[in-house]
């Protein structure tokens, strides 16, 4: 961590660019949050950072330009432990705490939000409900293959006509005696075109929401891909379509009933986003800081001008505030005390902050900010999806409003 004297002293441009507002590891950490992390946390973060630098960063601009999902990354994520890190080791997970999980999501999203989406869907929206609400047989059958990346999973909640109001879903299961029949459709589903397993939420005849594990190859189950996205272009997104799909009774999640099931999964995913979006912001900020010290106009680096320093100072301030909130949320999550409303606040804050940082960083880069030579525009486009999925920006604001007033404004 730079001392105040370091920051204020006249240093060479090269030294400043290297040091800036970073800790000894060259990572943006203005308030020495590393001092709050364990050695295990730091090792986990470094291993994922190294993985991203090797496997994602050199390729991500081309993948995004080509709208290509690199299916080989799924196995590699499994190998590095990015899938289900909080799931116990006996099921193939990492058995780690939630701060570790947050750091993993942060580092992956420094690389790309679409890559983080692949990992967080697998861990938070597929593995989590199977572990938390599944039978022992379901855990043993699905979790090890999902953890290793042999299988890719997806989560079916959003429908063409039901997004922010998941309770209005029309996808349904009907008890046929020795099996269920599943009918309906889900939309905007990350990982669906490549998935082997889908955790789907559907209503039974009594109108109760149940979790259903749907497997690739079941007759009547298809996963059309969505094309022409301007966001999350390196992630694969599609639909889930069910036409009289026969679901064995052993594929129903037995230990959950009602909307609590999918909403608890979303809490887990939103927690990961609260950390992940900070990673995207850090990547934009660090690129902008470096560029401001290299790009010269009017005889000096643009980082020497007041308006550019204002942008950079505000960026690092907002990143630091989000880091502190995410860390505290991780502590509460580890203690079993984090509430859904707290998670919503952190998700909303981190993504709004990251979008603002990306836009300011784009201005610092000038025209170069719109090119693939720098990561800014890709992050900005990705974050336009992140601010909507796992609960829209407005809904999260109203969740906080309902929590502090006791009155729900979105019913």
């Amino acid at each position: 961590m730079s001392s105040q004297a370091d920051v204020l002293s006249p240093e060479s441009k090269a030294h400043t660019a290297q040091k800036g507002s970073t800790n000894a590891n060259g990572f943006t950490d203005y308030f020495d949050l590393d001092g709050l992390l364990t050695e295990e946390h730091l090792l986990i973060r470094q291993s994922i950072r190294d993985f991203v630098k090797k496997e994602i960063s050199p390729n991500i601009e081309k993948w995004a330009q080509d709208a290509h999902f690199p299916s080989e990354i799924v196995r590699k994520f499994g190998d590095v432990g990015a899938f289900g890190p909080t799931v116990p080791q006996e099921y193939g997970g990492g058995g780690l705490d939630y701060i570790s999980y947050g750091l993993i999501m942060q580092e992956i999203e420094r690389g790309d939000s679409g890559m983080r989406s692949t990992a967080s869907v697998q861990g938070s929206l597929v593995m989590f409900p199977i572990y938390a609400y599944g039978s022992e047989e379901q855990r043993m059958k699905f979790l090890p293959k999902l953890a290793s990346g042999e299988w890719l999973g997806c989560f079916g909640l959003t429908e063409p006509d039901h997004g922010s109001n998941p309770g209005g879903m029309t996808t349904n299961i009907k008890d046929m005696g020795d099996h269920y029949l599943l009918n309906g459709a889900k939309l905007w589903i990350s990982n669906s075109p490549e998935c082997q397993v889908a955790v789907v939420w559907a209503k039974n005849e009594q109108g109760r929401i149940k979790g259903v594990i749907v497997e690739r190859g079941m007759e009547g189950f298809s996963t059309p891909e969505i094309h022409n996205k301007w966001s999350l272009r390196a992630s694969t997104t599609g639909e889930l379509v069910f036409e009289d799909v026969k679901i064995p009774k052993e594929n129903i999640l037995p230990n959950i009933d009602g909307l609590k099931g999918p909403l608890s999964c979303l809490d887990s995913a939103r927690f990961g986003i609260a950390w992940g979006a900070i990673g995207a912001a850090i990547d934009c900020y660090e690129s902008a800081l470096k560029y401001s010290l290299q790009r010269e106009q009017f005889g000096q680096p643009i980082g020497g001008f007041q308006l550019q320093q204002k942008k950079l100072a505000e960026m690092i301030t907002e990143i630091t505030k989000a880091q502190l909130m995410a860390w505290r949320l991780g502590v509460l999550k580890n203690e079993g005390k984090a509430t859904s409303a707290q998670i919503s606040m952190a998700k909303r804050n981190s993504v709004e902050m990251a979008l603002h940082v990306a836009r300011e960083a784009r201005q610092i880069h000038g025209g170069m900010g719109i090119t693939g030579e720098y990561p800014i525009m890709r992050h900005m486009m990705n974050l336009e999806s992140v601010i909507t999925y796992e609960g829209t920006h407005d809904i999260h604001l109203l969740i906080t409003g309902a929590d502090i007033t006791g009155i729900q404004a979105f019913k």
Side-chain angles (χ1 to χ4, degrees):
M1 179 66 199
S2 301
S3 68
Q4 187 180 34
D6 287 334
V7 173
L8 297 179
S9 63
E11 296 172 291
S12 69
K13 286 188 293 180
H15 183 60
T16 305
Q18 180 183 13
K19 194 169 186 180
S21 51
T22 59
N23 62 18
N25 295 319
F27 181 72
T28 297
D29 182 8
Y30 205 81
F31 267 60
D32 191 22
L33 266 76
D34 278 10
L36 301 172
L37 304 178
T38 67
E39 283 298 316
E40 183 181 34
H41 290 149
L42 297 175
L43 287 170
I44 290 165
R45 187 182 69 188
Q46 189 62 51
S47 70
I48 300 298
R49 184 177 303 168
D50 292 343
F51 170 83
V52 169
K53 286 181 179 178
K54 178 182 177 183
E55 301 291 348
I56 295 177
S57 297
N59 306 303
I60 190 60
E61 297 300 339
K62 180 170 174 52
W63 292 342
Q65 290 281 355
D66 295 345
H68 169 68
F69 173 68
S71 56
E72 68 277 7
I73 202 72
V74 177
R75 276 284 197 173
K76 293 177 180 179
F77 272 141
D79 291 341
V80 80
F83 290 150
T86 62
V87 170
Q89 292 179 342
E90 59 261 38
Y91 302 112
L96 303 175
D97 72 350
Y98 280 96
I99 290 178
S100 297
Y101 172 60
L103 291 167
I104 290 169
M105 295 301 104
Q106 178 179 271
E107 289 303 309
I108 295 175
E109 195 148 357
R110 281 182 78 192
D112 186 73
S113 300
M115 293 289 99
R116 196 267 309 142
S117 296
T118 299
S120 63
V121 166
Q122 184 93 329
S124 291
L125 299 180
V126 183
M127 296 178 68
F128 168 76
I130 293 175
Y131 169 68
Y133 307 127
S135 66
E136 188 62 19
E137 291 75 18
Q138 289 169 344
R139 293 170 182 163
M140 295 306 299
K141 177 179 179 180
F142 295 105
L143 291 179
K145 290 184 177 180
L146 290 164
S148 69
E150 180 180 347
W151 286 353
L152 183 65
C154 68
F155 175 85
L157 180 62
T158 299
E159 296 187 355
D161 295 322
H162 298 92
S164 296
N165 177 27
M169 71 174 65
T170 58
T171 298
N172 63 90
I173 53 171
K174 186 178 295 184
D175 193 339
M176 305 302 291
D178 62 344
H179 65 277
Y180 289 95
L181 275 186
L182 174 65
N183 281 283
K186 303 292 184 177
L187 187 62
W188 302 116
I189 310 302
S190 295
N191 297 355
S192 76
E194 302 274 342
C195 77
Q196 284 75 45
V197 178
V199 173
V200 176
W201 301 91
K203 285 183 177 177
N204 62 15
E205 291 102 322
Q206 291 74 44
R208 298 296 296 172
I209 294 172
K210 306 295 290 186
V212 182
I213 302 175
V214 186
E215 300 176 62
R216 177 72 70 182
M218 288 181 171
E219 188 176 352
F221 173 43
S222 59
T223 57
E225 186 171 3
I226 295 171
H227 297 284
N228 299 322
K229 297 183 300 178
W230 286 110
S231 182
L232 301 178
R233 288 172 59 82
S235 172
T236 183
T237 311
E239 304 174 55
L240 299 173
V241 179
F242 316 107
E243 299 176 314
D244 287 335
V245 181
K246 290 184 178 180
I247 305 294
K249 293 209 164 179
E250 60 265 27
N251 278 38
I252 302 295
L253 295 177
N255 300 318
I256 193 64
D257 182 69
L259 198 55
K260 176 184 176 182
L263 292 184
S264 67
C265 299
L266 291 176
D267 273 352
S268 182
R270 291 164 179 170
F271 174 84
I273 294 170
W275 285 79
I278 296 171
I282 288 170
D283 198 44
C284 292
Y285 164 75
E286 291 182 344
S287 180
L289 176 61
K290 182 177 179 181
Y291 189 83
S292 76
L293 296 169
Q294 295 173 342
R295 173 69 168 172
E296 293 191 359
Q297 290 290 289
F298 305 104
Q300 68 170 319
I302 63 172
F305 293 106
Q306 290 181 358
L307 288 178
Q308 305 307 319
Q309 290 191 5
K310 176 181 184 293
K311 290 182 174 69
L312 291 166
E314 290 176 343
M315 290 158 71
I316 186 58
T317 300
E318 294 306 312
I319 287 171
T320 300
K321 287 154 64 176
Q323 286 174 318
L324 289 162
M325 180 182 281
W327 173 80
R328 179 58 185 161
L329 184 64
V331 172
L332 292 172
K333 187 81 168 158
N334 283 340
E335 295 174 349
K337 297 178 181 178
T339 68
S340 295
Q342 289 169 335
I343 293 169
S344 279
M345 178 185 283
K347 187 268 186 182
R348 181 182 182 276
N349 179 73
S350 290
V351 182
E352 181 177 52
M353 176 277 297
L355 256 176
H356 178 71
V357 166
R359 289 166 179 157
E360 293 289 87
R362 210 291 304 158
Q363 290 200 62
I364 290 174
H365 284 78
M368 292 303 295
I370 71 166
T371 73
E373 295 295 315
Y374 297 91
I376 310 303
M377 187 61 75
R378 175 174 51 81
H379 280 307
M380 195 186 307
M381 291 191 298
N382 285 342
L383 288 164
E384 288 292 348
S385 289
V386 181
I387 204 168
T388 295
Y389 70 28
E390 318 296 357
T392 68
H393 197 58
D394 292 343
I395 286 292
H396 285 301
L397 190 69
L398 295 180
I399 288 172
T400 302
D403 192 51
I404 59 179
T405 66
I407 306 170
Q408 287 199 344
F410 49 86
K411 276 192 175 181

